[in-house]
Amino acid sequence: MLEELAVAYVARFATSAKALERYCRRKLRERGWEGQEEGTPAPDVAALVSRFVEKRYVDDEEFARLRTGSLLRRGYGARRVGAALDQAGIAGEDRHDISQADRRHAALRMAEKRRFGPFGADGAPADDRAVREKQIAAMIRAGHSLDAARELVDAPDQDTARDWAHALDEEEYR
């Protein structure tokens, strides 16, 4: 029964080994397995998860790569990506370093999406200090560095902001 639930779960969701283990333990709790009939052994969740890892139904490294890419494309910064991977139980050896260029692209994506700085309605950075501080704070909460947030929110125009984000791309090709 538990194996069928686990197969259905990994078929439906991209997941990590730790998240699958939490899911299986929760299902056992919900279905009242703990303290059930004496003499009936509880399913070995750790063995089930390790079998799924061996069969590559669950691949933490691939999950980390996909989750990192997804969050960066949505405009989240490196700290927020790290927190999401921590939550999923991804160990350090399964994580990939996020390049400075990817960090800048993610910051630019967030500024464009949320209409911060020169991406606002009038195409210029906000004159109001309180608005600028709120925009910078939102970028920091999304996992971006203070320097990146300031650079984008204070950029005089959209071209300058985009040039800042793409500056490292040009250096890689030299």
Side-chain angles (χ1 to χ4, degrees):
M1 173 191 83
L2 183 62
E3 187 163 350
E4 292 169 2
L5 288 172
V7 167
Y9 183 76
V10 299
R12 187 169 181 196
F13 303 105
T15 189
S16 66
K18 187 74 165 180
L20 177 62
E21 182 178 346
R22 282 192 300 250
Y23 172 79
C24 290
R25 292 193 189 287
R26 181 172 50 96
K27 286 300 176 184
L28 286 174
R29 242 187 350 268
E30 288 173 357
R31 295 175 191 259
W33 191 274
E34 293 178 346
Q36 198 178 23
E37 309 152 17
E38 299 223 5
T40 307
D44 188 0
V45 174
L48 175 72
V49 171
S50 65
R51 272 198 327 269
F52 276 47
V53 170
E54 287 172 16
K55 293 179 181 180
R56 295 192 43 98
Y57 294 162
V58 176
D59 184 349
D60 283 355
E61 187 175 348
E62 182 68 10
F63 175 83
R65 189 184 66 74
L66 293 172
R67 186 77 172 142
T68 298
S70 171
L71 291 171
L72 289 173
R73 282 188 302 277
R74 289 173 42 200
Y76 290 107
R79 280 193 338 271
R80 184 75 178 266
V81 169
L85 294 178
D86 287 342
Q87 177 66 30
I90 302 297
E93 65 270 3
D94 291 327
R95 296 179 183 208
H96 299 282
D97 289 333
I98 300 171
S99 71
Q100 190 64 25
D102 287 341
R103 292 170 193 245
R104 286 186 175 196
H105 287 286
L108 176 66
R109 175 68 185 122
M110 182 179 187
E112 290 173 336
K113 185 168 75 169
R114 299 280 304 272
R115 305 181 64 75
F116 289 165
F119 300 102
D122 61 356
D127 292 332
D128 186 8
R129 181 179 175 154
V131 171
R132 286 179 51 254
E133 287 177 357
K134 285 181 182 181
Q135 291 175 351
I136 290 171
M139 290 193 72
I140 291 171
R141 281 192 305 274
H144 299 289
S145 69
L146 177 60
D147 293 337
R150 281 187 178 155
E151 193 74 37
L152 287 171
V153 170
D154 293 339
D157 55 49
Q158 294 179 5
D159 290 335
T160 304
R162 287 189 179 104
D163 288 345
W164 172 81
H166 297 294
L168 293 177
D169 292 342
E170 295 169 8
E171 290 177 15
E172 288 179 17
Y173 295 115
R174 289 182 193 175

